[in-house]
Amino acid sequence: GWDGERGDGWIRVVNPTDGPLALYLGYMTTSPRPSLYPITKVWIESLDDDGNVVDVSDAFVLDPNAVSDYENAKVHISRIANVGVVHPGYSFVRFQQVEQTERPFRLVSVMITTESVGSQLSASIPGGNEN
């Protein structure tokens, strides 16, 4: 579910393996500062087989400013962040804007993978090696 006006919302993801996997999110950023997009908190709620929340991660803050490589340039690009761990089964990933800005938070990609594969992939993508 998503509240398009405020940028708050959630997605449901599934980890089909029998072990924890890393969750990487891609989201829109701009430069120069201040970003057109808001600072946004994200956290993961792990569910049991009955759909009950059994674990809630600490909130991770997504920085809406483009990576430092583009600090003085006018850019509108995505950024990738490792936001935590998804346990086997279903999880809710929840988003909450911390501020109001010209545009709402925009999620553009989701990757669930092992930590080692995710770090290799994100290191080769602009904005992926910041977190």
Side-chain angles (χ1 to χ4, degrees):
W2 213 264
D3 179 344
E5 289 185 26
R6 291 184 313 159
D8 295 349
W10 58 270
I11 58 172
R12 187 176 78 160
V13 297
V14 63
N15 172 354
T17 71
D18 59 359
L21 292 174
L23 175 65
Y24 290 81
L25 300 177
Y27 59 99
M28 293 305 299
T29 68
T30 62
S31 182
R33 294 173 186 258
S35 177
L36 299 175
Y37 297 102
I39 295 170
T40 301
K41 289 183 185 178
V42 59
W43 64 95
I44 303 165
E45 297 177 352
S46 300
L47 306 176
D48 65 15
D49 292 337
D50 295 323
N52 300 308
V53 175
V54 294
D55 184 56
V56 178
S57 72
D58 291 334
F60 184 91
V61 177
L62 299 173
D63 182 356
N65 296 291
V67 294
S68 56
D69 294 349
Y70 303 104
E71 193 168 310
N72 296 319
K74 186 173 182 175
V75 296
H76 198 147
I77 58 175
S78 64
R79 184 172 181 176
I80 295 174
N82 179 342
V83 299
V85 172
V86 288
H87 296 285
Y90 288 100
S91 296
F92 283 117
V93 181
R94 300 204 182 265
F95 303 87
Q96 181 181 38
Q97 285 188 186
V98 175
E99 60 186 350
Q100 288 297 323
T101 54
E102 184 176 326
R103 299 190 178 171
F105 173 74
R106 289 196 184 153
L107 179 68
V108 296
S109 65
V110 176
M111 179 173 63
I112 299 172
T113 187
T114 62
E115 184 75 38
S116 61
V117 170
S119 63
Q120 290 171 8
L121 289 173
S122 67
S124 64
I125 300 170
N129 58 1
E130 293 283 310
N131 299 340

